[in-house]
Amino acid sequence: MTNPRRTPRQLAAVTLRALRRYLWPAPLTPRIRNRGYLRERLISLPLLTVVAAVAFGWAYADVRTDSTALRDSFAPALVGLAEAETSLRIADREAGESLDAGEVVQLSGLSKRYSTRTTRAVQRLNQVARSGALTTAERQELDVVSGLVVDYGTWITFAQNNVADPTLRNAGLSYARSMLCPEPEPEPEPAPTTGESAGAGGGYPPCDTGTGTGTGTGSRPRSDATAVVDRISALEDHLRDRLTDRAALGAPVLAAAVVAALALVLLVRGLWHTQLFLRRRLRLHLSVPLLVAALPLLGVPFLTVDAVLAHRAQQRVVAVAGDLVGRTSPAIESAAEERPFAARPRLLIASLDARARHDLAAGRLASLDGAAPWVTPAGLLGAALTGATLHAYRREYVLVSRSGAAV
């Protein structure tokens, strides 16, 4: 006579009892059979080790990878875009002042700062293109920006060659400026020349039209931006958004961290109870193979601290990225360039770059560099060693306990 089929509720109850028995072993009592206990530990301990190693290793590697991406790609690209934008606006002002000098510019040429800043802008754009932080569409947009910068220089040269004719000079300068920033407004009153109070003014015409960057006004670029500064600002916004996403702990990482934490707690408790079992029932004072298999657990606290430091550093870099995109200005850069021995403003691009580099460098335990790829393999090796050890103990116990077996 067969047993009646169990109801779904009964099956669920049996499954939960089995899971509880495997994951949370009961205290040792005379009723617990040695063979059954060893069989349960042989299944549960390697499985918990594998789950903990995979989940923890993946979450830790993800955080470390994000820090590397921010340090090597995203932060340098944002710095490069900010420097290119401010350099172009500084160069534009220098070109206007040089052309206002009249025919003397044909002999002396444009100012040295104009040449330096335009060259720096081109170099920074090339560095951004090589950073690896841009998508394919953004790389194509950056190529367009580089082409417009070349055209801008061509029209400035046209204005310089026709400086004796005010009409042609003004036409060339006006068209060049429309490529850089459409319809610049009249220059406001000069701002203070030092400190963060230099702001976005300082005699630099703000880009504040329909597709403008909103320097000093807080408006954002539109997707149909056509001017150079507008396109650079749009790239900065997209790049900052992706940097923010990389610095945030996503749902998969959080889920993996929770799973790893639960598995590690259960694993430590299971290993401790197994050592007690072996000492009391099998008269083994200490299982050296199990102790060796548990050695990777000693690194978990250090890896956790390293991951927390890395994530905190990423959040600080997000704040720096916001300053790079929205609070830098050519006035601050010019003031620092004119006063090289004065205190560097906090919103200077070089200062923000140094802050980001320092935060990312300090946001890790240097001794653990390169450890992320080895976390999961170390756990899998520990699981294999645990399984082999418990299988050997169980096999030896079964042979000894058989009736009439020779020992």
Side-chain angles (χ1 to χ4, degrees), residues 67-304:
S67 290
T68 302
L70 264 60
R71 182 183 67 248
D72 297 339
S73 298
F74 286 89
L78 273 177
V79 170
L81 289 174
E83 288 187 341
E85 178 181 342
T86 56
S87 292
L88 288 172
R89 296 192 64 196
I90 292 173
D92 181 66
R93 182 180 181 183
E94 292 296 319
E97 292 180 350
S98 297
L99 292 173
D100 287 343
E103 296 183 12
V104 69
V105 75
Q106 290 182 329
L107 299 176
S108 61
L110 298 174
S111 68
K112 182 179 179 180
R113 180 182 285 185
Y114 169 82
S115 301
T116 301
R117 284 293 178 174
T118 51
T119 302
R120 182 181 299 181
V122 173
Q123 290 175 345
R124 294 296 181 266
L125 292 176
N126 291 335
Q127 290 173 1
V128 172
R130 296 192 301 266
S131 67
L134 302 182
T135 63
T136 301
E138 291 169 348
R139 177 65 185 273
Q140 294 173 351
E141 181 71 9
L142 190 66
D143 292 339
V144 173
V145 170
S146 299
L148 291 175
V149 170
V150 174
D151 291 341
Y152 168 82
T154 301
W155 282 102
I156 292 295
T157 302
F158 172 84
Q160 179 185 358
N161 294 335
N162 295 276
V163 69
D165 187 337
T167 302
L168 293 178
R169 180 198 65 187
N170 293 335
L173 181 60
S174 176
Y175 189 77
R177 283 181 167 173
S178 69
M179 296 175 63
L180 185 67
C181 179
E183 300 178 10
E185 297 179 356
E187 295 185 0
E189 291 295 327
T193 58
T194 59
E196 296 178 23
S197 60
Y204 296 89
C207 298
D208 196 22
T209 58
T211 59
T213 63
T215 304
T217 63
S219 60
R220 304 311 309 158
R222 293 185 346 197
S223 59
D224 58 347
T226 57
V228 171
V229 175
D230 299 334
R231 292 175 183 270
I232 292 177
S233 181
L235 288 172
E236 286 179 322
D237 281 344
H238 297 159
L239 194 58
R240 181 190 57 179
D241 292 341
R242 294 213 315 278
L243 182 148
T244 303
D245 292 339
R246 289 296 296 264
L249 290 178
V253 176
L254 292 175
V258 172
V259 170
L262 292 175
L264 286 170
V265 170
L266 294 173
L267 177 61
V268 171
R269 189 177 187 276
L271 287 172
W272 176 254
H273 277 262
T274 302
Q275 289 283 6
L276 293 179
F277 168 83
L278 295 175
R279 182 176 181 180
R280 295 179 183 179
R281 297 292 179 89
L282 302 187
R283 299 297 187 266
L284 292 175
H285 294 286
L286 183 65
S287 175
V288 176
L290 287 182
L291 185 63
V292 173
L295 285 179
L297 295 175
L298 298 177
V300 171
F302 300 98
L303 296 173
T304 302

